[in-house]
Structures are given as structure tokens and as C-alpha cells.
Amino acid sequence: MASADWTYLNGGLDIATVDRGVTAGIARPPGGGNFLFAFNSLSAAQGAVGLFANLPDFAPMARGGSIRGCIQRGPGGGPTGFSPFLFLCGQGTSVNDSAYLLGLSDDEPHRVVLRKGAVATGLPDADGPGVLLKSSASFSQGTWLHLRLDVIVNANGDVVLKALQNDLAAHPLGTPPDWQPVPGMADFIDDALGINSGSQPLTSGRGGFGFAVRDVTRRAYFDSLELSRQV
């Protein structure tokens, strides 16, 4: 997807607080191209920056979808105070809207976590509020992870959430990925009655990626972003 295919969510931190953009100055994931997209916090303000795909039939998507990409919690001023994530079923064009978020927890070492909640909050620690699932494995800063979130809306209103991972060492970018369930993260059913997650499921909306932060010189990197919609 080209840069023109993405629009910033309203209410996000400004560029004087969190710098962002395309750079060739950071090492890409295995098999990566010439550039990646980076975030770098310049102050200790708390909030988030998010981008959603603005293409026809994607803003919003009528049902679920699939988003995948490479994510890294980059080394910086400290090991906590930030979280990068992919999201689906964003309920509006603001960081204050809810979505399903899959990304890297605000821990050291961090885990892959799935959360339902406001984009502005990002991801907490792996046992924090709103977390639906967490990986059994943990990772250190500077680790590239190739993740995929599938949101499948069933006819009865249940929403099935699948967290998948591709081993970049065995299947680098540019080769067919081998998507497997993230260890420790079985499929989660956000049921139509709102029992399992505590609120009604999200059955449509926008997809994108973002960065939540609450401290200075925190960094996150994204590469090879792909988005498809459920038909």
C-alpha cells in the first residue's frame, strides 16, 4: 500500500510530540526492502498516533478483515512506556474509538497481546486491562515480529479473532509466509452477547496501525503492512 492510502486518525499526538515517517536509517526485517515506517517520541506526553487505510470499501470495511505486518519495539530511552500495534474494526476516525489491537505489550521483555479497547490507550503490560490473549513466549527490544490479525464476523454475530505469526528466520519477507497461531493465543470468540470480552463485538470498521506512548525517546518500527477485507 502506498503512503497516500493511509490517513491519520483524529486526536492523535502531533508531529512535535511524536515524529513519524518513512526512513532508510533503521535496519529492516529479514528480506525487507529499502524503507520502513518509524515513530519516535520527542516528549513525555501520553497518547497515541494511528493511521487507517482510506481506500474505497476499507474506510470502513463492512465486515471483518485481516491485517499483517512486521513490528518492532525499538531500543531507545527505556524499555517501557510505549506499545506498537496493528488494529482492525476501528469504530471511527479518532484515536478515542475502540478497535481490536494486536501488537507488543508494554513490558520488558514484551509479549504479543490482543486487546479490545480505545486506540489511544494502546497496549498495556501483558496482564493489563482489556487484554484478551497473550503469547506464552516473550521477546527483547529490537526483535522483529511478523504478526497477523484476522477478524472473522460470523452470520450469528459472533466475531472470531485469530492471532498468527510468521517465523521471519525461516520465511523472510519476499518468500511465502508460514502463518501459525501465536503460541499461547488460541482463537478468541467475541460472542454476540458480549459475555467473553465484557462488551458487544466489533463487526465492522477501519484497519491500520499505531503507536501509543507515555515517555520520551520511545521508538517503534513497521514494515510490510498488508490489509484485506472479509467478503
Side-chain angles (χ1 to χ4, degrees), residues 99-116:
Y100 295 117
L101 285 66
L102 179 72
L104 309 181
S105 67
D106 190 1
D107 290 302
E108 179 55 34
H110 55 268
R111 297 178 186 270
V112 180
V113 296
L114 175 66
R115 174 181 173 265
K116 180 184 183 182

Side-chain angles (χ1 to χ4, degrees), residues 62-74:
R63 301 178 71 193
S66 178
I67 188 165
R68 65 283 307 267
C70 293
I71 311 178
Q72 183 190 135
R73 294 179 86 243

Side-chain angles (χ1 to χ4, degrees), residues 141-192:
Q141 277 185 283
T143 301
W144 279 108
L145 293 169
H146 195 191
L147 301 178
R148 169 179 161 182
L149 172 62
D150 289 356
V151 175
I152 303 165
V153 180
N154 289 340
N156 73 325
D158 286 348
V159 174
V160 181
L161 307 176
K162 294 177 175 286
L164 306 170
Q165 181 178 356
N166 173 54
D167 182 352
L168 283 168
H171 305 278
L173 298 178
T175 65
D178 179 28
W179 295 111
Q180 299 293 329
V182 176
M185 301 178 73
D187 292 356
F188 184 93
I189 297 179
D190 198 5
D191 62 281

Side-chain angles (χ1 to χ4, degrees), residues 22-37 70 144 146 168 172-175 222-225:
V22 174
T23 178
I26 306 300
R28 271 71 71 197
N34 297 322
F35 302 94
L36 53 74
F37 195 95
C70 293
W144 279 108
H146 195 191
L168 283 168
L173 298 178
T175 65
F222 293 82
D223 199 4
S224 191
L225 292 160

